[in-house]
Short mmCIF file of all heavy atoms in Angstrom, two decimals:
data_model
loop_
_atom_site.label_atom_id
_atom_site.label_comp_id
_atom_site.label_asym_id
_atom_site.label_seq_id
_atom_site.Cartn_x
_atom_site.Cartn_y
_atom_site.Cartn_z
N PHE A 1 0.83 -1.20 0.00
CA PHE A 1 0.00 0.00 0.00
C PHE A 1 0.87 1.26 0.00
O PHE A 1 0.57 2.23 -0.70
CB PHE A 1 -0.93 0.00 1.21
CG PHE A 1 -2.23 -0.70 0.96
CD1 PHE A 1 -2.44 -1.99 1.41
CD2 PHE A 1 -3.25 -0.08 0.26
CE1 PHE A 1 -3.64 -2.65 1.17
CE2 PHE A 1 -4.45 -0.72 0.00
CZ PHE A 1 -4.65 -2.01 0.46
N ARG A 2 1.94 1.24 0.76
CA ARG A 2 2.83 2.40 0.78
C ARG A 2 3.45 2.63 -0.59
O ARG A 2 3.59 3.78 -1.04
CB ARG A 2 3.90 2.21 1.84
CG ARG A 2 3.37 2.21 3.27
CD ARG A 2 4.47 1.86 4.26
NE ARG A 2 5.49 2.90 4.31
CZ ARG A 2 6.78 2.66 4.58
NH1 ARG A 2 7.21 1.41 4.78
NH2 ARG A 2 7.63 3.65 4.64
N CYS A 3 3.81 1.55 -1.26
CA CYS A 3 4.37 1.67 -2.62
C CYS A 3 3.32 2.23 -3.58
O CYS A 3 3.64 3.07 -4.44
CB CYS A 3 4.87 0.33 -3.12
SG CYS A 3 6.37 -0.27 -2.32
N ALA A 4 2.07 1.79 -3.44
CA ALA A 4 1.01 2.28 -4.31
C ALA A 4 0.78 3.78 -4.10
O ALA A 4 0.49 4.52 -5.04
CB ALA A 4 -0.27 1.50 -4.05
N LEU A 5 0.92 4.23 -2.85
CA LEU A 5 0.74 5.64 -2.55
C LEU A 5 1.84 6.49 -3.16
O LEU A 5 1.63 7.65 -3.51
CB LEU A 5 0.71 5.86 -1.04
CG LEU A 5 -0.58 5.43 -0.34
CD1 LEU A 5 -0.38 5.37 1.16
CD2 LEU A 5 -1.70 6.41 -0.69
N ARG A 6 3.03 5.91 -3.31
CA ARG A 6 4.18 6.66 -3.80
C ARG A 6 4.32 6.62 -5.32
O ARG A 6 5.15 7.35 -5.88
CB ARG A 6 5.46 6.14 -3.16
CG ARG A 6 5.59 6.41 -1.68
CD ARG A 6 7.01 6.18 -1.20
NE ARG A 6 7.44 4.80 -1.39
CZ ARG A 6 7.39 3.87 -0.43
NH1 ARG A 6 6.91 4.19 0.77
NH2 ARG A 6 7.81 2.65 -0.66
N ARG A 7 3.57 5.77 -6.00
CA ARG A 7 3.79 5.62 -7.44
C ARG A 7 3.50 6.92 -8.17
O ARG A 7 2.59 7.67 -7.80
CB ARG A 7 2.96 4.46 -7.99
CG ARG A 7 1.48 4.74 -8.13
CD ARG A 7 0.72 3.50 -8.59
NE ARG A 7 -0.69 3.80 -8.74
CZ ARG A 7 -1.27 4.10 -9.91
NH1 ARG A 7 -0.54 4.15 -11.01
NH2 ARG A 7 -2.56 4.36 -9.98
N GLU A 8 4.25 7.17 -9.20
CA GLU A 8 4.14 8.44 -9.93
C GLU A 8 3.14 8.38 -11.07
O GLU A 8 2.59 9.41 -11.46
CB GLU A 8 5.52 8.84 -10.46
CG GLU A 8 6.53 9.13 -9.34
CD GLU A 8 7.87 9.56 -9.89
OE1 GLU A 8 8.02 9.63 -11.13
OE2 GLU A 8 8.78 9.83 -9.08
N ALA A 9 2.91 7.22 -11.64
CA ALA A 9 2.00 7.10 -12.77
C ALA A 9 0.59 7.52 -12.35
O ALA A 9 0.14 7.20 -11.25
CB ALA A 9 1.99 5.67 -13.29
N SER A 10 -0.10 8.24 -13.23
CA SER A 10 -1.43 8.76 -12.88
C SER A 10 -2.57 7.84 -13.29
O SER A 10 -3.70 8.02 -12.85
CB SER A 10 -1.63 10.13 -13.53
OG SER A 10 -1.52 10.03 -14.94
N GLY A 11 -2.30 6.87 -14.15
CA GLY A 11 -3.36 5.98 -14.62
C GLY A 11 -3.80 5.00 -13.56
O GLY A 11 -3.16 4.84 -12.51
N PRO A 12 -4.91 4.28 -13.79
CA PRO A 12 -5.39 3.29 -12.83
C PRO A 12 -4.41 2.13 -12.69
O PRO A 12 -3.73 1.76 -13.64
CB PRO A 12 -6.73 2.83 -13.42
CG PRO A 12 -6.63 3.13 -14.88
CD PRO A 12 -5.78 4.36 -14.98
N LEU A 13 -4.39 1.56 -11.48
CA LEU A 13 -3.51 0.44 -11.18
C LEU A 13 -4.34 -0.72 -10.67
O LEU A 13 -5.21 -0.54 -9.80
CB LEU A 13 -2.48 0.84 -10.12
CG LEU A 13 -1.60 -0.29 -9.57
CD1 LEU A 13 -0.54 -0.66 -10.60
CD2 LEU A 13 -0.95 0.11 -8.26
N LEU A 14 -4.08 -1.91 -11.18
CA LEU A 14 -4.73 -3.12 -10.69
C LEU A 14 -3.67 -4.21 -10.62
O LEU A 14 -3.19 -4.68 -11.66
CB LEU A 14 -5.87 -3.54 -11.64
CG LEU A 14 -6.56 -4.88 -11.34
CD1 LEU A 14 -7.19 -4.86 -9.95
CD2 LEU A 14 -7.61 -5.18 -12.40
N VAL A 15 -3.27 -4.60 -9.40
CA VAL A 15 -2.23 -5.61 -9.24
C VAL A 15 -2.60 -6.59 -8.13
O VAL A 15 -3.42 -6.31 -7.26
CB VAL A 15 -0.85 -4.99 -8.90
CG1 VAL A 15 -0.32 -4.18 -10.05
CG2 VAL A 15 -0.91 -4.17 -7.63
N ASP A 16 -1.96 -7.75 -8.19
CA ASP A 16 -2.16 -8.80 -7.21
C ASP A 16 -1.02 -8.76 -6.19
O ASP A 16 0.14 -8.60 -6.56
CB ASP A 16 -2.19 -10.17 -7.89
CG ASP A 16 -3.29 -10.25 -8.93
OD1 ASP A 16 -4.43 -10.55 -8.54
OD2 ASP A 16 -3.01 -10.00 -10.12
N ILE A 17 -1.39 -8.94 -4.92
CA ILE A 17 -0.42 -8.90 -3.84
C ILE A 17 -0.47 -10.22 -3.07
O ILE A 17 -1.52 -10.58 -2.51
CB ILE A 17 -0.68 -7.73 -2.87
CG1 ILE A 17 -0.66 -6.40 -3.62
CG2 ILE A 17 0.30 -7.75 -1.71
CD1 ILE A 17 0.68 -6.05 -4.25
N GLY A 18 0.64 -10.94 -3.06
CA GLY A 18 0.72 -12.21 -2.34
C GLY A 18 2.17 -12.54 -2.07
O GLY A 18 3.07 -11.71 -2.27
N SER A 19 2.40 -13.76 -1.64
CA SER A 19 3.78 -14.22 -1.45
C SER A 19 4.36 -14.79 -2.72
O SER A 19 5.58 -14.89 -2.88
CB SER A 19 3.83 -15.29 -0.35
OG SER A 19 3.21 -16.49 -0.80
N GLY A 20 3.47 -15.22 -3.63
CA GLY A 20 3.91 -15.89 -4.84
C GLY A 20 4.30 -17.34 -4.61
O GLY A 20 4.82 -17.99 -5.52
N GLN A 21 4.04 -17.83 -3.40
CA GLN A 21 4.42 -19.21 -3.04
C GLN A 21 3.17 -20.01 -2.68
O GLN A 21 2.60 -19.83 -1.61
CB GLN A 21 5.38 -19.20 -1.84
CG GLN A 21 6.69 -18.47 -2.09
CD GLN A 21 7.52 -19.14 -3.17
OE1 GLN A 21 7.59 -20.37 -3.24
NE2 GLN A 21 8.16 -18.34 -3.99
N PRO A 22 2.71 -20.91 -3.56
CA PRO A 22 1.53 -21.72 -3.23
C PRO A 22 1.84 -22.73 -2.13
O PRO A 22 2.89 -23.36 -2.13
CB PRO A 22 1.22 -22.43 -4.55
CG PRO A 22 2.52 -22.46 -5.30
CD PRO A 22 3.25 -21.21 -4.89
N THR A 23 0.91 -22.85 -1.17
CA THR A 23 1.08 -23.75 -0.04
C THR A 23 -0.23 -24.49 0.19
O THR A 23 -1.30 -23.87 0.20
CB THR A 23 1.43 -22.96 1.24
OG1 THR A 23 2.58 -22.15 1.00
CG2 THR A 23 1.71 -23.89 2.41
N THR A 24 -0.16 -25.80 0.39
CA THR A 24 -1.39 -26.55 0.67
C THR A 24 -1.81 -26.33 2.12
O THR A 24 -0.99 -26.02 2.99
CB THR A 24 -1.23 -28.05 0.42
OG1 THR A 24 -0.34 -28.60 1.41
CG2 THR A 24 -0.70 -28.33 -0.98
N LEU A 25 -3.09 -26.55 2.37
CA LEU A 25 -3.61 -26.39 3.72
C LEU A 25 -2.97 -27.39 4.68
O LEU A 25 -2.70 -27.06 5.85
CB LEU A 25 -5.13 -26.55 3.71
CG LEU A 25 -5.92 -25.73 4.73
CD1 LEU A 25 -5.62 -24.26 4.58
CD2 LEU A 25 -7.40 -26.00 4.58
N LEU A 26 -2.69 -28.59 4.19
CA LEU A 26 -2.05 -29.58 5.05
C LEU A 26 -0.62 -29.16 5.39
O LEU A 26 -0.17 -29.33 6.53
CB LEU A 26 -2.04 -30.95 4.37
CG LEU A 26 -1.38 -32.08 5.17
CD1 LEU A 26 -2.05 -32.25 6.54
CD2 LEU A 26 -1.43 -33.40 4.39
#
């Protein structure tokens, strides 16, 4: 969120935020 607040581009932004590491529930 802090990075999104600081971005300079004025257009709309839509991005995914995660760890990028899939983990099973078990």
Side-chain angles (χ1 to χ4, degrees):
F1 272 101
R2 293 174 67 211
C3 289
L5 285 166
R6 292 194 298 263
R7 75 184 181 97
E8 296 182 359
S10 60
L13 172 76
L14 175 60
V15 294
D16 301 276
I17 302 297
S19 70
Q21 299 296 320
T23 305
T24 68
L25 212 57
L26 180 57

